Amino acid sequence: MSREVNFFNFSINKILSKNQSILDQAKIRLLYYGFWIVAVAVAGLFVSVYFQHQVLLSITAAILFFSVVVLFKYLTYRPHWRQISHALLVIATLINLNNVFIALQTVDIITIQIILLIILFSFYMLGQSWGLFYSLLNLIPVLAFMVLEYNSNYFIALRPEKVDQSTIIIGIFANFIIIIYIHSHFYSAFFNNIKQLKETGDEQQRLNGQLEVAIDKAEKSSQIKSEFLSTMSHEIRTPLNAIIGMSNLMMMANPRPDQQENLNVLKFSANNLLSIVNDVLDFNKIESGKVIFENLKFNLVDLLQNICGAEILKAQQKGLNFALKIDPLLQNKILFGDPTRVSQILFNLISNAIKFTPQGNIWVKAFLYEDKHNSIIISFIVKDTGIGIEKNNLESIFEPFTQESITTTRQYGGTGLGLAIVKRLLELQGLHMNVSSKIGEGSEFSFNMEFAVSTERVRYTADKSLLYPGNELLSSLKLLIAEDNPVNVLLMKKLLSKWNIIPTIAENGERAIEVLQYGNFDLILMDLQMPVMNGFDAAKEIRKLPDSKKAGIPIIALTAAALNDIKEQVLNAGMNDYVSKPFKPEELMEKIQSLVTAVPQ
C-alpha cells in the first residue's frame, strides 16, 4: 500500500500503489469488482432458493453472501490478495462439495462451472502449484462421487433438494459472467504486462546504448587525460631537469655562501614543483588502477634512514626536533616488499608532519608488532606536535585535493593529494590508516604492514667510493647520449665532466644507431621522445644489429614522460633500465655503475 487506510475505506484507489506490479494491481481489481458481481449473483440465488423453501441451499447462499461481504471489507482495509484468494477458494471448495455430496447429491452444469471457476481463479491468482492443489481438491471428490453414483453405491439419509429452472438459469448466467470477467480481466492485465515489459526492454536497450556511449566517452576521456598528463609531465619535467641539474652542478662547484643560499632556494622551489607534479601523476596512476606492487629485497633500516635524511634537514630549518626510532629487533633483517611505495607513504606522512608543525617535535617510529617467523608485521608511526585536526575532519583529510580548511590551504599550501595517495596505496594492499589528533597538541598517523623476511643477514660495506665523482672506472667509460634538447645536452655534458667523462652526442635515435655502428661505446643514455626516430624504436633497432657486442650494449632510458607503464615499455623495447627526469646525479651514477661493472678496465 502507498499509505495507511482506515477501516471504513471502500475506495479501490486507496489500496492500490505504484510499488505494486501490473499483475498485483490486476489481482486486487479482480477481487474488488468480482466481489460485487458475486454478491449480486449470490443475493439473487438466495432469494430464489429461499422462496422455494430449500433450507440447505438458503443457508449455503447466506453463508456465501456473508463471506463475500467480510472478505470485501478486509480487502478494502488490508489488500492482502493472496490470503483473501485462499479464503475464497476454501469457501468455494466447501460449497461445491456440499452441493455435490449433501444438498443436491448430483453433478450438474453448475457444479462443472464452479470447478472451472476454481481452476481459473486458483491458477490466475496463486500460480501453478496452488492451482493444481485446488483443482485436484475439487476434481477428485467429484469424480469419486460420479463413480459411486454410477454404481448406485452412494446413499445418505438426507433427501436431496431440488431447484427450479429459474434458479438454474440464474446460477448458470452468474457463473458464465464471472468466468468471462476473469478471462477478460487477466487477458487485459497480461497484455498490459507484456506491453510494459516490451517498453521496459526498449527503454533498457536505449539506456544500454547510452551507457555504451558514456563508457566509450569515459574511456576516451581517461585516455586523453592520461595522454595530457604524460605530455604535460614531459613538458614540465624537461625544464625542471635543467633547473635542478644545473643547481646540482653549481652546488658541486663550491659556491660562495650567498650563492649557496640562492641555489638552495632555487633547488628547494624546483623540488617543490616536482613534488606537486609527481603527486598529481601518482594519484592519476592509482585512480586508474595501474599501480603494481613489487616484491623486492631491501634493508628497512637503510630505507628509513634514507627517507628521513632529507626530512631531518627540513625539520631543522624550521627549528623542529626530529627523532627516528627503529626497533632493535629490525636492525639485522632483510625484507621483501615494495620499498618505493613504503617510501612514498612515509615521505608524505613525514612531509605533512613537518609542514603542519610550527614548533616542537617530529617522531618517526618503526617497531616489530608481530613475528611470524617467515614474515613480520611492522608498525609505522609518524607523530608530531603540530596544529592538530578537528575530529569531524579526520575522514575528509584523506579525500583528494582536500585539506582541513581553506585557511590551512592558504597558510601551508600544498595540493591536498599527499594523504589521498597514502590512503589509496594502503587500501590497495588491504591496510588501514589509524589517526588520532588533538587541536593544538598534534597528530599521530600509524599503520601496520606485513613483510616476508629473507634468511640473508645484513652486510655493511664501508667502501662506497664507486658511487662518488672522480672514480677511475667512470672516467674510462665511453658514453653515447641520444638527446635532442640542447639544454639537456649541455646539462649532461657538464654533469659527466664532473666524473671525467666526455660523451658523444646524437640528436635523434636514427643518428644514435649510425654513430654506434662506427664507434665503440660502453653504454647509451637514450632519450625517449626525439624527432626522426624515438628512443623506443632506436633501442629495438640496436638490438637487431649483426654485431653481438653492439647489439648487447647497455641502454638506460632518460625520460620526462609519466606513462603508467613506462617501465614495461622500456623493458619491452630492449632497454636495461630507466631514469626519470629530473634525476638525481647519484641515482644515474649508481645505475651506470651497475650496468658497466663487467667492462674491462
Side-chain angles (χ1 to χ4, degrees):
M1 289 185 296
S2 59
R3 54 188 176 276
E4 290 292 323
V5 294
N6 60 47
F7 179 77
F8 298 100
N9 171 62
F10 288 95
S11 171
I12 190 173
N13 294 325
K14 292 184 178 180
I15 59 175
L16 294 176
S17 168
K18 292 181 179 179
N19 297 328
Q20 298 162 342
S21 67
I22 287 180
L23 287 178
D24 285 352
Q25 291 183 5
K27 290 172 182 178
I28 292 172
R29 287 194 177 94
L30 173 69
L31 289 172
Y32 183 86
Y33 294 111
F35 276 134
W36 286 100
I37 297 173
V38 172
V40 171
V42 172
L45 287 172
F46 174 78
V47 172
S48 178
V49 296
Y50 179 79
F51 284 108
Q52 294 179 51
H53 306 291
Q54 303 293 338
V55 179
L56 281 176
L57 291 176
S58 298
I59 294 172
T60 301
I63 292 173
L64 179 58
F65 184 82
F66 177 77
S67 300
V68 167
V69 171
V70 171
L71 291 174
F72 175 79
K73 183 76 232 72
Y74 181 69
L75 175 70
T76 56
Y77 178 55
R78 292 286 183 269
H80 300 151
W81 56 266
R82 195 177 297 275
Q83 293 93 315
I84 293 171
S85 299
H86 279 293
L88 273 175
L89 287 165
V90 170
I91 292 170
T93 299
L94 292 173
I95 290 173
N96 183 43
L97 297 180
N98 172 70
N99 288 341
V100 171
F101 286 93
I102 299 174
L104 300 178
Q105 297 180 26
T106 186
V107 176
D108 56 11
I109 188 172
I110 294 178
T111 303
I112 303 302
Q113 284 182 319
I114 292 173
I115 292 174
L116 285 174
L117 271 172
I118 290 172
I119 292 172
L120 289 174
F121 188 81
S122 61
F123 271 95
Y124 279 141
M125 294 296 290
L126 299 176
Q128 184 179 26
S129 298
W130 284 112
L132 285 171
F133 173 77
Y134 284 110
S135 298
L136 295 176
L137 188 63
N138 283 268
L139 281 173
I140 292 174
V142 170
L143 288 173
F145 172 83
M146 292 176 71
V147 171
L148 291 172
E149 187 183 39
Y150 177 76
N151 293 321
S152 301
N153 291 329
Y154 183 78
F155 176 79
I156 59 173
L158 187 66
R159 187 167 63 93
E161 294 184 343
K162 299 294 183 181
V163 293
D164 61 11
Q165 192 66 22
S166 62
T167 304
I168 295 173
I169 292 172
I170 292 172
I172 293 172
F173 180 75
N175 287 335
F176 271 128
I177 290 294
I178 296 172
I179 290 171
I180 292 169
Y181 170 70
I182 291 174
H183 266 301
S184 173
H185 186 81
F186 274 103
Y187 174 83
S188 176
F190 288 138
F191 179 80
N192 290 335
N193 194 48
I194 292 170
K195 183 179 178 182
Q196 186 189 52
L197 288 174
K198 184 179 182 304
E199 290 174 351
T200 302
D202 293 341
E203 178 67 14
Q204 187 67 41
Q205 190 173 1
R206 185 182 67 82
L207 291 174
N208 286 340
Q210 292 180 349
L211 180 61
E212 288 178 4
V213 173
I215 290 173
D216 186 53
K217 286 182 178 178
E219 288 176 349
K220 288 181 179 178
S221 175
S222 178
Q223 183 179 356
I224 291 170
K225 182 181 74 172
S226 295
E227 290 175 356
F228 169 77
L229 287 171
S230 177
T231 302
M232 290 305 297
S233 167
H234 185 272
E235 296 304 315
I236 294 173
R237 284 171 181 262
T238 298
L240 272 177
N241 182 52
I243 295 170
I244 295 175
M246 287 298 183
S247 300
N248 286 327
L249 287 173
M250 295 173 71
M251 293 176 75
M252 290 165 63
N254 297 319
R256 299 192 311 268
D258 59 324
Q259 292 175 329
Q260 180 78 34
E261 184 179 357
N262 292 338
L263 289 171
N264 283 335
V265 172
L266 178 63
K267 186 176 179 180
F268 177 79
S269 299
N271 282 327
N272 270 356
L273 179 56
L274 179 61
S275 177
I276 292 170
V277 173
N278 288 339
D279 278 350
V280 173
L281 296 173
D282 280 339
F283 185 75
N284 177 64
K285 185 189 294 185
I286 292 167
E287 289 295 283
S288 63
K290 295 184 178 180
V291 173
I292 298 174
F293 292 94
E294 297 180 309
N295 192 34
L296 305 175
K297 187 162 57 176
F298 69 98
N299 183 336
L300 180 66
V301 175
D302 286 348
L303 182 71
L304 290 173
Q305 288 175 345
N306 290 336
I307 294 169
C308 296
E311 300 305 298
I312 289 174
L313 296 176
K314 288 165 60 176
Q316 289 175 346
Q317 288 173 358
K318 289 187 68 174
L320 303 175
N321 298 316
F322 192 107
L324 170 61
K325 298 182 179 180
I326 303 174
D327 192 331
L329 295 173
L330 300 175
Q331 292 288 340
N332 299 318
K333 292 188 181 295
I334 296 292
L335 309 179
F336 286 99
D338 192 332
T340 302
R341 297 304 173 187
V342 174
S343 299
Q344 194 171 12
I345 292 168
L346 291 174
F347 176 79
N348 277 301
L349 292 176
I350 297 168
S351 295
N352 265 9
I354 295 172
K355 180 192 296 185
F356 297 112
T357 303
Q359 60 183 7
N361 303 290
I362 306 291
W363 294 276
V364 178
K365 304 176 185 178
F367 66 89
L368 183 62
Y369 181 79
E370 183 179 351
D371 191 340
K372 299 181 177 180
H373 301 297
N374 294 327
S375 66
I376 59 174
I377 298 176
I378 299 175
S379 285
F380 296 94
I381 301 172
V382 177
K383 187 177 180 181
D384 62 65
T385 56
I387 59 175
I389 307 164
E390 291 282 357
K391 187 176 181 179
N392 56 357
N393 290 330
L394 289 177
E395 291 295 330
S396 64
I397 59 171
F398 290 100
E399 294 304 314
F401 308 105
T402 302
Q403 291 186 348
E404 188 184 8
S405 67
I406 295 175
T407 304
T408 302
T409 304
R410 288 174 179 170
Q411 183 176 353
Y412 295 96
T415 60
L417 279 176
L419 289 180
I421 291 171
V422 167
K423 181 183 179 184
R424 299 294 197 278
L425 287 175
L426 289 175
E427 287 177 343
L428 288 172
Q429 299 174 82
L431 305 176
H432 176 69
M433 173 66 71
N434 299 305
V435 188
S436 60
S437 183
K438 289 185 179 180
I439 293 295
E441 295 185 17
S443 305
E444 180 177 301
F445 292 80
S446 63
F447 63 94
N448 294 340
M449 188 174 287
E450 186 170 356
F451 301 92
V453 181
S454 171
T455 55
E456 181 182 347
R457 296 179 64 84
V458 177
R459 286 177 291 184
Y460 295 100
T461 56
D463 184 11
K464 295 186 178 181
S465 61
L466 294 178
L467 300 181
Y468 291 95
N471 187 290
E472 292 181 2
L473 175 61
L474 292 178
S475 64
S476 65
L477 290 180
K478 296 178 181 179
L479 296 188
L480 172 60
I481 299 176
E483 173 65 75
D484 66 308
N485 187 295
V487 175
N488 286 337
V489 170
L490 177 62
L491 172 63
M492 291 304 298
K493 284 182 176 180
K494 286 181 174 291
L495 175 60
L496 294 174
S497 69
K498 298 289 184 181
W499 303 335
N500 298 321
I501 298 174
I502 301 176
T504 301
I505 308 298
E507 62 271 17
N508 56 62
E510 186 176 82
R511 179 60 180 158
I513 296 172
E514 293 175 1
V515 173
L516 178 62
Q517 287 176 325
Y518 295 103
N520 294 315
F521 298 95
D522 299 309
L523 184 138
I524 300 176
L525 298 177
M526 182 80 73
D527 187 33
L528 296 182
Q529 296 188 15
M530 296 180 291
V532 184
M533 180 182 286
N534 64 45
F536 294 112
D537 294 336
K540 291 176 182 177
E541 292 301 319
I542 289 171
R543 296 307 183 210
K544 296 176 183 177
L545 292 175
D547 186 332
S548 60
K549 183 177 180 181
K550 295 181 185 294
I553 186 171
I555 303 175
I556 297 177
L558 297 176
T559 176
L563 298 172
N564 291 327
D565 54 353
I566 188 66
K567 182 177 181 179
E568 183 179 352
Q569 290 188 32
V570 165
L571 296 178
N572 288 341
M575 290 178 265
N576 302 82
D577 208 337
Y578 78 100
V579 175
S580 295
K581 300 175 185 176
F583 57 82
K584 297 176 181 178
E586 59 271 22
E587 179 187 4
L588 176 61
M589 191 191 308
E590 184 175 355
K591 294 200 174 185
I592 291 174
Q593 175 68 38
S594 66
L595 290 172
V596 298
T597 51
V599 176
Q601 302 301 313

